[in-house]
Amino acid sequence: YDGQHGEDFDPLTIEDNYWQQGDADSSKNNVTELHNHLIASLTEVPRTILDQAGLEPAFKSQLETRYAELIHATAPEAPSRVAAAPGNGFAYVTFSPPVADGGRPVLSYTVTASTGAKATASAAEFSRLAYLRVPSLANGQPVTFTITATSAVGTSVPSLPSYAITPSGRKILPPPPPAHVSAHPGERGNVSIHFQDPAVEHKGGDPSPITAYEVTVEPGGRMVTFTGRNIVALQDGKHTTFKVISGLKPGTYTFKVAAVNAAGAGDVAATPPVVIP
């Protein structure tokens, strides 16, 4: 870890792991990466490793320890850290799911605007996108949002409200190309795509949060869309995130990456050609 300034490098060896980062073998700045395997899912990890994952046998009884008897399941706690971003007659809303689900899994989330507008998404859909889109909002009118979580037992109390935002009809431009785009090939037709937030002001229009990244695989034109919390949270231009594309046949490829906001996909940044063994 470079401490954001590049002067702090603690000795570290990352060796013989199964991961999604895909860095090539290297040794620099007291950090050695060696013999790591790029995977697209846990199904590509050797069974012997998966069988040994988790607590050691002497400590597995801790998983069954209960410090309070749950006689009846309850409604989940409220979500937290609600944040919103304005659009043209709509808003994007994100939040942290509840820590305590009351003994039953959360099935859905509902966003309620201070104007009365609502939007609901399944827990699976929120996990995939990391945001909800709330339509039917008046431009020029400040609005806040609260979230409730619903399980088979019941619905939580509303969260604390977000800060107020004001939807606007001003023009939104597609985002600039992502920064520092690269591709890291691995085994079994996998490649890890690395990129950073464009980190450039959207001049000529209102800024709009990036909600996805589209990757076009050339040759062939296959398009893969990256979504999720690491995409929504990648908004400061300092950090690199990565996702894995699988199912590639041996050959030479270029990957074109574009950020997506409310105006659509922006200009692409292409990786140098890489060889998939």
Side-chain angles (χ1 to χ4, degrees), residues 98-189:
V99 174
D101 61 12
R104 297 291 186 273
V106 173
L107 301 176
S108 64
Y109 297 101
T110 297
V111 182
T112 302
S114 54
T115 60
K118 292 189 176 185
T120 298
S122 68
E125 181 74 356
F126 178 74
S127 178
R128 183 177 70 85
L129 295 177
Y131 67 88
L132 277 74
R133 189 179 188 275
V134 183
S136 304
L137 300 176
N139 288 337
Q141 181 177 346
V143 58
T144 62
F145 303 89
T146 58
I147 316 290
T148 56
T150 299
S151 70
V153 177
T155 298
S156 72
V157 299
S159 68
L160 292 174
S162 68
Y163 284 114
I165 55 98
T166 303
S168 169
R170 286 187 60 193
K171 182 180 181 180
I172 293 174
L173 298 178
H180 301 290
V181 172
S182 61
H184 303 252
E187 305 153 343
R188 298 176 295 274

Coordinates of all heavy atoms in Angstrom, one line a residue, residues 98-189:
P98 N -28.7 -3.3 6.0 CA -28.7 -3.5 7.4 C -27.7 -4.5 7.9 O -27.5 -5.6 7.2 CB -30.1 -3.9 7.8 CG -30.7 -4.4 6.5 CD -30.0 -3.7 5.4
V99 N -27.1 -4.3 9.0 CA -26.1 -5.3 9.6 C -26.9 -6.5 10.1 O -26.5 -7.6 10.0 CB -25.3 -4.6 10.7 CG1 -24.4 -5.6 11.4 CG2 -24.4 -3.5 10.0
A100 N -28.0 -6.2 10.8 CA -28.8 -7.3 11.4 C -30.1 -7.4 10.6 O -30.9 -6.5 10.4 CB -29.2 -6.9 12.9
D101 N -30.3 -8.7 10.2 CA -31.5 -8.9 9.3 C -32.7 -9.5 10.1 O -33.7 -9.8 9.6 CB -31.2 -9.8 8.2 CG -30.7 -11.2 8.6 OD1 -30.8 -11.5 9.8 OD2 -30.2 -11.9 7.7
G102 N -32.5 -9.6 11.5 CA -33.6 -10.1 12.3 C -33.9 -11.6 12.2 O -34.9 -12.1 12.7
G103 N -32.9 -12.3 11.6 CA -33.0 -13.8 11.6 C -33.6 -14.3 10.3 O -33.7 -15.5 10.1
R104 N -34.0 -13.4 9.3 CA -34.4 -13.8 8.0 C -33.8 -12.9 7.0 O -33.6 -11.8 7.2 CB -36.0 -13.7 7.9 CG -36.8 -14.6 8.8 CD -36.6 -16.1 8.4 NE -37.5 -16.9 9.2 CZ -37.1 -17.4 10.4 NH1 -35.9 -17.2 10.9 NH2 -38.0 -18.2 11.1
P105 N -33.5 -13.5 5.8 CA -32.8 -12.6 4.8 C -33.7 -11.5 4.3 O -34.9 -11.7 4.2 CB -32.4 -13.6 3.7 CG -33.4 -14.8 3.9 CD -33.6 -14.9 5.4
V106 N -33.0 -10.4 4.0 CA -33.7 -9.3 3.4 C -34.1 -9.7 2.0 O -33.3 -10.2 1.2 CB -32.9 -8.0 3.4 CG1 -33.6 -6.9 2.6 CG2 -32.6 -7.6 4.8
L107 N -35.4 -9.4 1.6 CA -35.9 -9.7 0.3 C -35.9 -8.5 -0.7 O -35.7 -8.7 -1.9 CB -37.3 -10.3 0.4 CG -37.4 -11.6 1.2 CD1 -38.9 -12.0 1.3 CD2 -36.6 -12.7 0.7
S108 N -36.2 -7.3 -0.1 CA -36.3 -6.2 -1.0 C -36.0 -4.9 -0.2 O -36.0 -4.9 1.0 CB -37.7 -6.1 -1.6 OG -38.7 -5.9 -0.6
Y109 N -35.8 -3.8 -1.0 CA -35.6 -2.5 -0.4 C -36.6 -1.5 -1.1 O -36.8 -1.6 -2.3 CB -34.2 -2.0 -0.6 CG -33.2 -2.8 0.1 CD1 -32.4 -3.8 -0.6 CD2 -32.9 -2.7 1.4 CE1 -31.5 -4.6 0.0 CE2 -32.0 -3.5 2.1 CZ -31.2 -4.4 1.4 OH -30.3 -5.2 2.0
T110 N -37.1 -0.6 -0.3 CA -38.0 0.5 -0.9 C -37.4 1.8 -0.5 O -37.1 2.1 0.7 CB -39.4 0.3 -0.3 OG1 -39.9 -0.9 -0.7 CG2 -40.3 1.5 -0.9
V111 N -37.2 2.7 -1.5 CA -36.8 4.1 -1.3 C -38.1 4.9 -1.4 O -38.9 4.8 -2.3 CB -35.9 4.5 -2.5 CG1 -35.4 6.0 -2.2 CG2 -34.7 3.6 -2.5
T112 N -38.2 5.8 -0.4 CA -39.3 6.8 -0.3 C -38.8 8.2 -0.3 O -38.0 8.5 0.5 CB -40.2 6.6 0.9 OG1 -40.7 5.2 0.9 CG2 -41.4 7.5 0.9
A113 N -39.2 9.0 -1.3 CA -38.8 10.4 -1.4 C -39.6 11.2 -0.5 O -40.8 10.9 -0.2 CB -38.9 10.9 -2.8
S114 N -39.1 12.4 0.0 CA -39.9 13.3 0.8 C -41.1 13.8 0.1 O -42.0 14.3 0.7 CB -39.0 14.4 1.3 OG -38.4 15.1 0.2
T115 N -41.1 13.7 -1.3 CA -42.2 14.1 -2.1 C -43.3 13.0 -2.2 O -44.4 13.3 -2.7 CB -41.8 14.5 -3.5 OG1 -41.2 13.3 -4.1 CG2 -40.8 15.6 -3.5
G116 N -43.0 11.8 -1.7 CA -43.9 10.7 -1.8 C -43.6 9.7 -2.9 O -44.2 8.6 -2.9
A117 N -42.7 10.0 -3.8 CA -42.3 9.1 -4.8 C -41.6 7.9 -4.2 O -40.9 8.0 -3.2 CB -41.4 9.8 -5.9
K118 N -41.8 6.7 -4.8 CA -41.2 5.5 -4.3 C -40.6 4.6 -5.4 O -41.0 4.7 -6.6 CB -42.2 4.7 -3.5 CG -42.7 5.3 -2.2 CD -43.6 4.3 -1.4 CE -44.0 4.9 -0.1 NZ -44.8 4.0 0.7
A119 N -39.7 3.8 -5.0 CA -39.1 2.8 -5.9 C -38.7 1.6 -5.1 O -38.2 1.7 -3.9 CB -37.9 3.3 -6.7
T120 N -38.9 0.4 -5.6 CA -38.6 -0.9 -4.9 C -37.7 -1.7 -5.8 O -37.9 -1.8 -7.0 CB -39.9 -1.6 -4.5 OG1 -40.6 -0.8 -3.6 CG2 -39.6 -2.9 -3.8
A121 N -36.8 -2.4 -5.2 CA -35.9 -3.4 -5.9 C -35.7 -4.6 -5.0 O -35.7 -4.4 -3.8 CB -34.6 -2.7 -6.3
S122 N -35.5 -5.7 -5.6 CA -35.2 -6.9 -4.8 C -33.8 -6.8 -4.3 O -32.9 -6.0 -4.8 CB -35.2 -8.1 -5.7 OG -34.2 -8.1 -6.7
A123 N -33.5 -7.5 -3.2 CA -32.2 -7.5 -2.6 C -31.1 -8.0 -3.6 O -30.0 -7.4 -3.6 CB -32.1 -8.4 -1.4
A124 N -31.5 -8.9 -4.5 CA -30.5 -9.4 -5.5 C -30.2 -8.3 -6.5 O -29.1 -8.1 -6.9 CB -31.1 -10.6 -6.2
E125 N -31.3 -7.5 -6.9 CA -31.0 -6.5 -7.9 C -30.2 -5.4 -7.2 O -29.3 -4.8 -7.9 CB -32.4 -5.9 -8.3 CG -32.3 -4.8 -9.3 CD -32.0 -5.2 -10.7 OE1 -31.7 -6.4 -10.9 OE2 -31.9 -4.4 -11.6
F126 N -30.4 -5.0 -6.0 CA -29.6 -4.0 -5.3 C -28.1 -4.5 -5.2 O -27.2 -3.7 -5.4 CB -30.1 -3.6 -4.0 CG -29.2 -2.6 -3.3 CD1 -29.2 -1.3 -3.6 CD2 -28.4 -3.0 -2.2 CE1 -28.4 -0.4 -3.0 CE2 -27.6 -2.1 -1.6 CZ -27.6 -0.8 -2.0
S127 N -27.9 -5.8 -4.9 CA -26.6 -6.3 -4.8 C -25.9 -6.2 -6.1 O -24.7 -6.0 -6.2 CB -26.7 -7.8 -4.3 OG -25.4 -8.3 -4.3
R128 N -26.6 -6.4 -7.2 CA -26.0 -6.4 -8.6 C -25.6 -4.9 -9.0 O -24.6 -4.7 -9.5 CB -26.9 -6.9 -9.6 CG -26.4 -7.0 -11.0 CD -27.4 -7.7 -12.0 NE -28.5 -6.9 -12.2 CZ -28.6 -5.9 -13.2 NH1 -27.5 -5.7 -13.9 NH2 -29.7 -5.2 -13.3
L129 N -26.5 -3.9 -8.7 CA -26.3 -2.6 -9.1 C -25.7 -1.6 -8.1 O -25.0 -0.7 -8.4 CB -27.6 -2.0 -9.6 CG -28.3 -2.6 -10.8 CD1 -29.6 -2.0 -11.1 CD2 -27.4 -2.6 -12.1
A130 N -26.1 -1.9 -6.8 CA -25.7 -1.0 -5.7 C -26.4 0.3 -5.7 O -26.0 1.3 -5.0 CB -24.2 -0.8 -5.7
Y131 N -27.5 0.5 -6.4 CA -28.3 1.7 -6.3 C -29.7 1.4 -6.8 O -30.0 0.4 -7.4 CB -27.7 2.8 -7.2 CG -27.7 2.6 -8.7 CD1 -28.8 2.9 -9.4 CD2 -26.7 1.9 -9.3 CE1 -28.9 2.6 -10.8 CE2 -26.7 1.7 -10.7 CZ -27.8 2.0 -11.4 OH -27.9 1.8 -12.8
L132 N -30.6 2.3 -6.4 CA -32.0 2.3 -7.0 C -32.2 3.6 -7.7 O -31.7 4.7 -7.3 CB -33.0 2.2 -5.9 CG -33.4 0.8 -5.3 CD1 -32.2 0.2 -4.5 CD2 -34.7 0.8 -4.6
R133 N -33.0 3.6 -8.7 CA -33.4 4.8 -9.5 C -34.8 5.2 -9.1 O -35.7 4.4 -9.2 CB -33.3 4.5 -11.0 CG -33.4 5.7 -11.9 CD -33.3 5.3 -13.3 NE -33.2 6.5 -14.2 CZ -34.3 7.1 -14.7 NH1 -35.5 6.7 -14.4 NH2 -34.1 8.1 -15.6
V134 N -35.0 6.4 -8.6 CA -36.3 6.9 -8.2 C -36.8 7.9 -9.3 O -36.2 8.9 -9.4 CB -36.2 7.6 -6.8 CG1 -37.6 8.0 -6.4 CG2 -35.6 6.7 -5.8
P135 N -37.9 7.5 -10.0 CA -38.4 8.4 -11.0 C -39.5 9.4 -10.5 O -39.7 9.4 -9.3 CB -39.1 7.4 -12.0 CG -39.6 6.3 -11.1 CD -38.6 6.2 -9.9
S136 N -40.1 10.1 -11.4 CA -41.2 11.0 -11.1 C -40.9 12.0 -10.0 O -41.7 12.3 -9.1 CB -42.4 10.1 -10.6 OG -42.8 9.2 -11.6
L137 N -39.7 12.7 -10.2 CA -39.4 13.8 -9.3 C -39.4 15.1 -10.0 O -39.1 15.2 -11.2 CB -38.0 13.6 -8.7 CG -37.7 12.3 -7.9 CD1 -36.3 12.2 -7.5 CD2 -38.6 12.2 -6.7
A138 N -39.9 16.1 -9.3 CA -40.0 17.5 -10.0 C -38.6 18.1 -10.0 O -37.9 18.2 -9.0 CB -41.0 18.3 -9.2
N139 N -38.2 18.6 -11.2 CA -37.0 19.4 -11.3 C -37.1 20.7 -10.5 O -38.1 21.3 -10.4 CB -36.7 19.7 -12.7 CG -36.2 18.5 -13.5 OD1 -35.8 17.5 -12.9 ND2 -36.4 18.5 -14.8
G140 N -36.0 21.1 -9.9 CA -36.0 22.3 -9.1 C -36.5 22.2 -7.7 O -36.5 23.2 -7.0
Q141 N -37.0 21.1 -7.3 CA -37.5 20.9 -6.0 C -36.6 20.0 -5.1 O -36.4 18.9 -5.4 CB -38.9 20.2 -6.1 CG -39.6 20.1 -4.7 CD -41.0 19.5 -4.8 OE1 -41.6 19.4 -5.9 NE2 -41.5 19.0 -3.7
P142 N -36.1 20.6 -4.0 CA -35.2 19.7 -3.2 C -36.0 18.5 -2.6 O -37.2 18.6 -2.3 CB -34.8 20.7 -2.0 CG -35.0 22.1 -2.6 CD -36.2 21.9 -3.6
V143 N -35.2 17.4 -2.5 CA -35.9 16.2 -2.0 C -34.9 15.4 -1.2 O -33.7 15.4 -1.5 CB -36.5 15.4 -3.2 CG1 -35.4 15.0 -4.2 CG2 -37.2 14.2 -2.8
T144 N -35.4 14.7 -0.2 CA -34.5 13.7 0.6 C -35.1 12.3 0.4 O -36.3 12.2 -0.1 CB -34.5 14.1 2.0 OG1 -35.8 14.1 2.6 CG2 -33.9 15.5 2.2
F145 N -34.4 11.3 0.9 CA -34.8 9.9 0.7 C -34.6 9.1 2.0 O -33.5 9.3 2.6 CB -34.1 9.3 -0.5 CG -34.2 10.0 -1.8 CD1 -33.4 11.1 -2.1 CD2 -35.3 9.7 -2.6 CE1 -33.5 11.8 -3.3 CE2 -35.4 10.4 -3.8 CZ -34.6 11.4 -4.1
T146 N -35.5 8.2 2.3 CA -35.3 7.2 3.3 C -35.4 5.8 2.7 O -36.1 5.7 1.6 CB -36.3 7.4 4.5 OG1 -37.6 7.3 3.9 CG2 -36.1 8.7 5.2
I147 N -34.9 4.8 3.4 CA -34.9 3.4 2.9 C -35.5 2.5 3.9 O -35.2 2.7 5.1 CB -33.5 2.9 2.5 CG1 -32.7 4.0 1.8 CG2 -33.6 1.6 1.8 CD1 -33.2 4.2 0.4
T148 N -36.3 1.5 3.5 CA -36.7 0.4 4.4 C -36.3 -0.9 3.8 O -36.2 -1.0 2.5 CB -38.3 0.4 4.6 OG1 -38.9 0.4 3.3 CG2 -38.7 1.7 5.3
A149 N -36.0 -1.9 4.6 CA -35.7 -3.2 4.2 C -36.8 -4.2 4.6 O -37.3 -4.0 5.7 CB -34.4 -3.6 4.9
T150 N -37.2 -5.1 3.7 CA -38.3 -6.0 4.0 C -37.8 -7.4 3.9 O -37.1 -7.8 2.9 CB -39.4 -5.8 3.0 OG1 -39.9 -4.4 3.1 CG2 -40.6 -6.7 3.2
S151 N -38.2 -8.2 4.9 CA -37.9 -9.7 4.9 C -39.3 -10.4 5.0 O -40.3 -9.8 4.9 CB -37.1 -10.1 6.1 OG -37.8 -10.0 7.3
A152 N -39.2 -11.7 5.1 CA -40.5 -12.5 5.2 C -41.2 -12.2 6.5 O -42.4 -12.5 6.6 CB -40.2 -14.0 5.1
V153 N -40.5 -11.6 7.5 CA -41.1 -11.3 8.8 C -41.8 -10.0 8.8 O -42.8 -9.8 9.4 CB -40.0 -11.4 9.9 CG1 -40.6 -11.0 11.2 CG2 -39.4 -12.8 9.9
G154 N -41.2 -9.0 8.1 CA -41.7 -7.6 8.2 C -40.8 -6.6 7.6 O -39.8 -7.0 6.9
T155 N -41.1 -5.4 7.7 CA -40.4 -4.2 7.2 C -39.7 -3.4 8.3 O -40.4 -3.1 9.3 CB -41.3 -3.4 6.3 OG1 -41.8 -4.2 5.2 CG2 -40.6 -2.2 5.7
S156 N -38.5 -3.0 8.0 CA -37.8 -2.2 9.0 C -38.5 -0.8 9.2 O -39.3 -0.4 8.3 CB -36.4 -2.0 8.6 OG -36.3 -1.1 7.5
V157 N -38.0 -0.1 10.2 CA -38.4 1.3 10.3 C -37.5 2.0 9.2 O -36.5 1.5 8.7 CB -38.0 1.9 11.7 CG1 -38.8 1.2 12.8 CG2 -36.5 1.8 12.0
P158 N -38.0 3.2 8.8 CA -37.2 4.0 7.8 C -35.8 4.4 8.3 O -35.6 4.6 9.5 CB -38.1 5.2 7.5 CG -39.4 4.8 8.0 CD -39.2 3.9 9.2
S159 N -34.9 4.4 7.4 CA -33.5 4.9 7.7 C -33.6 6.4 8.0 O -34.6 7.1 7.8 CB -32.6 4.7 6.5 OG -33.0 5.5 5.4
L160 N -32.4 6.9 8.5 CA -32.3 8.3 8.5 C -32.3 8.9 7.1 O -31.8 8.2 6.2 CB -30.9 8.7 9.2 CG -30.9 8.4 10.7 CD1 -29.5 8.6 11.2 CD2 -31.9 9.2 11.5
P161 N -32.7 10.1 6.9 CA -32.8 10.6 5.5 C -31.5 11.0 4.9 O -30.5 11.3 5.6 CB -33.7 11.9 5.7 CG -33.5 12.3 7.1 CD -33.3 11.0 7.9
S162 N -31.4 11.0 3.6 CA -30.2 11.5 2.9 C -30.2 13.0 3.0 O -31.1 13.7 3.4 CB -30.3 11.1 1.4 OG -31.4 11.8 0.8
Y163 N -29.0 13.5 2.6 CA -29.0 15.0 2.4 C -29.9 15.3 1.2 O -30.1 14.5 0.3 CB -27.5 15.4 2.0 CG -26.6 15.5 3.2 CD1 -25.5 14.6 3.3 CD2 -26.8 16.4 4.2 CE1 -24.7 14.7 4.4 CE2 -25.9 16.5 5.3 CZ -24.9 15.6 5.4 OH -24.0 15.7 6.5
A164 N -30.4 16.5 1.2 CA -31.3 17.0 0.1 C -30.5 17.2 -1.2 O -29.4 17.7 -1.2 CB -32.0 18.3 0.5
I165 N -31.1 16.7 -2.3 CA -30.6 17.0 -3.6 C -31.7 17.6 -4.4 O -32.9 17.5 -4.1 CB -30.0 15.7 -4.3 CG1 -31.1 14.6 -4.3 CG2 -28.8 15.2 -3.5 CD1 -31.8 14.5 -5.6
T166 N -31.4 18.2 -5.6 CA -32.3 18.9 -6.4 C -32.2 18.4 -7.8 O -31.3 18.7 -8.5 CB -32.1 20.4 -6.3 OG1 -32.2 20.9 -5.0 CG2 -33.2 21.1 -7.2
P167 N -33.2 17.6 -8.3 CA -33.2 17.2 -9.7 C -33.2 18.4 -10.6 O -33.7 19.5 -10.3 CB -34.5 16.4 -9.8 CG -34.8 15.9 -8.5 CD -34.3 17.0 -7.6
S168 N -32.6 18.3 -11.8 CA -32.4 19.4 -12.7 C -32.5 18.9 -14.2 O -32.2 17.8 -14.5 CB -31.1 20.0 -12.5 OG -30.8 21.0 -13.5
G169 N -33.1 19.8 -15.0 CA -33.2 19.5 -16.4 C -32.0 19.9 -17.2 O -32.0 19.8 -18.5
R170 N -30.9 20.4 -16.5 CA -29.7 20.8 -17.3 C -29.1 19.6 -18.0 O -29.2 18.4 -17.6 CB -28.7 21.4 -16.3 CG -29.1 22.8 -15.8 CD -27.9 23.4 -15.0 NE -26.7 23.4 -15.8 CZ -25.5 23.7 -15.3 NH1 -25.3 23.8 -14.0 NH2 -24.4 23.8 -16.1
K171 N -28.4 19.9 -19.1 CA -27.8 18.9 -19.9 C -26.7 18.1 -19.1 O -25.9 18.7 -18.4 CB -27.1 19.6 -21.1 CG -26.5 18.6 -22.1 CD -25.9 19.3 -23.3 CE -25.3 18.3 -24.3 NZ -24.7 19.0 -25.4
I172 N -26.7 16.8 -19.3 CA -25.7 15.9 -18.8 C -24.9 15.3 -19.9 O -25.5 14.8 -20.9 CB -26.4 14.8 -17.9 CG1 -27.0 15.4 -16.7 CG2 -25.3 13.7 -17.5 CD1 -27.8 14.4 -15.9
L173 N -23.6 15.4 -19.8 CA -22.7 14.9 -20.8 C -22.3 13.5 -20.5 O -22.1 13.2 -19.3 CB -21.5 15.8 -21.0 CG -21.8 17.2 -21.5 CD1 -20.5 17.9 -21.6 CD2 -22.5 17.2 -22.9
P174 N -22.1 12.6 -21.5 CA -21.4 11.3 -21.1 C -20.1 11.5 -20.5 O -19.4 12.5 -20.8 CB -21.3 10.6 -22.5 CG -22.4 11.3 -23.4 CD -22.4 12.7 -22.9
P175 N -19.6 10.6 -19.7 CA -18.3 10.8 -19.0 C -17.1 10.7 -20.0 O -17.2 10.0 -21.0 CB -18.3 9.7 -18.0 CG -19.2 8.6 -18.5 CD -20.3 9.4 -19.3
P176 N -16.0 11.2 -19.6 CA -14.7 11.0 -20.3 C -14.3 9.6 -20.2 O -14.9 8.8 -19.4 CB -13.7 11.9 -19.6 CG -14.6 12.9 -18.8 CD -15.8 12.1 -18.4
P177 N -13.3 9.2 -21.0 CA -12.8 7.8 -20.9 C -12.2 7.5 -19.6 O -11.7 8.4 -18.9 CB -11.8 7.7 -22.0 CG -11.5 9.1 -22.4 CD -12.6 10.0 -22.0
P178 N -12.3 6.2 -19.1 CA -11.7 5.8 -17.9 C -10.2 6.0 -17.9 O -9.6 6.1 -19.0 CB -12.0 4.3 -17.7 CG -13.2 4.2 -18.6 CD -13.0 5.1 -19.7
A179 N -9.5 6.1 -16.8 CA -8.1 6.3 -16.7 C -7.4 5.0 -16.4 O -7.9 4.1 -15.8 CB -7.8 7.4 -15.6
H180 N -6.1 5.0 -16.9 CA -5.2 3.9 -16.6 C -5.8 2.5 -16.8 O -5.9 1.6 -15.9 CB -4.7 4.0 -15.1 CG -4.0 5.3 -14.8 ND1 -2.8 5.6 -15.4 CD2 -4.4 6.4 -14.2 CE1 -2.4 6.8 -15.0 NE2 -3.4 7.3 -14.2
V181 N -6.4 2.3 -18.0 CA -7.0 1.0 -18.4 C -5.9 0.0 -18.7 O -5.0 0.3 -19.5 CB -8.0 1.2 -19.5 CG1 -8.5 -0.1 -20.0 CG2 -9.1 2.1 -19.0
S182 N -6.0 -1.2 -18.2 CA -5.1 -2.3 -18.6 C -5.8 -3.6 -18.5 O -6.8 -3.8 -17.8 CB -3.8 -2.2 -17.6 OG -4.2 -2.4 -16.3
A183 N -5.2 -4.6 -19.1 CA -5.7 -6.0 -19.1 C -4.6 -6.9 -18.6 O -3.4 -6.8 -19.0 CB -6.2 -6.4 -20.5
H184 N -5.0 -7.9 -17.8 CA -4.0 -8.8 -17.2 C -4.5 -10.2 -17.4 O -5.4 -10.7 -16.7 CB -3.9 -8.5 -15.7 CG -3.5 -7.1 -15.3 ND1 -2.3 -6.8 -14.9 CD2 -4.2 -6.0 -15.5 CE1 -2.2 -5.5 -14.7 NE2 -3.4 -5.0 -15.0
P185 N -4.0 -10.9 -18.5 CA -4.5 -12.2 -18.8 C -4.0 -13.3 -17.8 O -3.0 -13.1 -17.1 CB -3.8 -12.5 -20.2 CG -2.5 -11.7 -20.2 CD -2.9 -10.4 -19.4
G186 N -4.9 -14.3 -17.7 CA -4.6 -15.4 -16.8 C -4.8 -16.8 -17.5 O -4.7 -16.9 -18.8
E187 N -5.1 -17.8 -16.8 CA -5.4 -19.1 -17.3 C -6.8 -19.3 -17.6 O -7.7 -18.5 -17.2 CB -4.9 -20.1 -16.3 CG -3.5 -20.0 -15.8 CD -3.3 -20.5 -14.4 OE1 -4.3 -20.7 -13.6 OE2 -2.1 -20.7 -14.0
R188 N -7.2 -20.4 -18.4 CA -8.5 -20.8 -18.6 C -9.4 -19.7 -19.3 O -10.6 -19.6 -19.1 CB -9.2 -21.2 -17.3 CG -8.6 -22.4 -16.7 CD -9.2 -22.8 -15.3 NE -9.0 -21.7 -14.4 CZ -7.9 -21.6 -13.6 NH1 -7.0 -22.5 -13.7 NH2 -7.8 -20.6 -12.8
G189 N -8.8 -18.9 -20.1 CA -9.5 -17.9 -20.9 C -10.0 -16.7 -20.1 O -11.0 -16.0 -20.4

